[in-house]
Each structure stands twice: as structure tokens, then as C-alpha cells.
Amino acid sequence: MTDRDKEERPVLMKENIVLNCKAATPEEAIINAGSLLLKSGYIKSGYIKGMLSRDQNFSVYLGNMLAIAHGEKKARDQILRTGISVLIYPEGIDWHGNQVKVVMGLAAIGDEHMEILMHCANIFSDRKQVERLVRCRDKEKVYQMFNSL
């Protein structure tokens, strides 16, 4: 990847949105979210281990059917640039006793995660909006929802 590729890469790329995922375990969902970030050049492979470890030590479930998988602080050196992935599981995942239907993978440099989290708080504060997101079958609409990141 060239420096120019790094500069032009948005926080969310359409290929990092996966709709209608089949039910999985939290571990499988984290690996899937992390693999998208890896494939797109946002992280090095070691970050996925940090994502799994974070959820084992402190659940990444945030409420309203959302889990944001992100790595432990010690995995920050595995982040190449800020990016997210979005996976939608309409059937839901049992996430340590909570139902999750949207899994986001998050890798952020410095404090860049704050703006992303604030935007996600706006999206996920309205249960009806979350339900529309989960039912959505149009990747473009999902992309537009997150496009302001």
C-alpha cells in the first residue's frame, strides 16, 4: 500500500459492510470484523488477537443490539490507519447474554475513535433506527448512514 492509498482510504469502505450475516459466536463475529479491517489495510494481523482479548476481559457489547469490537491498548501498534467494518446479523448473536445484531470492527489512531463513537451513539440511540438498519438489504443505504464518519 502506498502513502497515497493511505491518505485516500475512507474510514468506512463499502466492501467493509456485510449484510445478512449468518448467526455466529462473538468470537467468530470479532474475527470476521477484524478480517475485513485486515484485508483493507487498516490493521496488522495482531490487532485481531487484541480485539478478541478485549472482549474476553471486558465485553464490547454497548447496548441496543450493538457490539463494537476493538483491540486492547497494547494492540494499538497493530493499527495502520483509522477504519471500521460493519456486519449485520439479522438473526442476532448471543453476546454474553445480550442480543447483538450489528457488529462493528473499530481500529483508531489516537483519539480518532471519539468522533466515530459519537456518530454511532446518534445512530444507535434510536431503537427504531437500529431495527431499520438491521432489516436493510441495501449496502448503499447502510454506507450513507455511516458516511459522515
Side-chain angles (χ1 to χ4, degrees):
M1 174 177 3
T2 67
D3 286 339
R4 184 180 170 123
D5 290 335
K6 285 178 151 183
E7 291 170 12
E8 294 178 1
R9 187 150 311 192
V11 171
L12 175 61
M13 297 188 307
K14 288 179 188 174
E15 54 265 28
N16 285 349
I17 299 170
V18 183
L19 307 177
N20 204 28
C21 297
K22 297 301 173 203
T25 65
E27 294 80 15
E28 290 168 332
I30 290 170
I31 291 168
N32 292 340
S35 294
L36 289 170
L37 295 173
L38 177 64
K39 182 179 177 185
S40 299
Y42 291 104
I43 62 171
K44 297 177 186 175
S45 61
Y47 190 72
I48 297 171
K49 182 178 178 185
M51 293 168 79
L52 290 164
S53 183
R54 164 74 76 177
D55 188 59
Q56 289 170 357
N57 295 321
F58 185 76
S59 178
V60 298
Y61 171 75
L62 293 181
N64 226 5
M65 298 188 283
L66 171 67
I68 299 181
H70 58 287
E72 296 178 306
K73 286 184 181 183
K74 65 184 178 182
R76 285 187 180 171
D77 66 337
Q78 298 292 299
I79 300 171
L80 300 172
R81 68 173 287 107
T82 298
I84 66 171
S85 57
V86 178
L87 296 91
I88 299 177
Y89 293 85
E91 297 171 17
I93 299 171
D94 178 356
W95 206 286
H96 314 298
N98 300 292
Q99 185 179 54
V100 167
K101 292 191 175 189
V102 180
V103 177
M104 284 182 51
L106 170 64
I109 295 175
D111 289 336
E112 292 179 351
H113 67 287
M114 295 306 295
E115 185 176 339
I116 295 168
L117 293 175
M118 287 189 313
H119 185 72
C120 288
N122 288 332
I123 294 171
F124 288 89
S125 63
D126 180 353
R127 182 123 179 140
K128 288 182 181 180
Q129 184 168 314
V130 175
E131 289 170 359
R132 281 191 301 274
L133 172 65
V134 170
R135 287 190 311 267
C136 186
R137 297 296 176 253
D138 183 348
K139 189 182 282 195
E140 183 65 32
K141 287 182 181 178
V142 174
Y143 179 76
Q144 291 303 321
M145 185 178 288
F146 287 92
N147 194 33
S148 64
L149 299 177

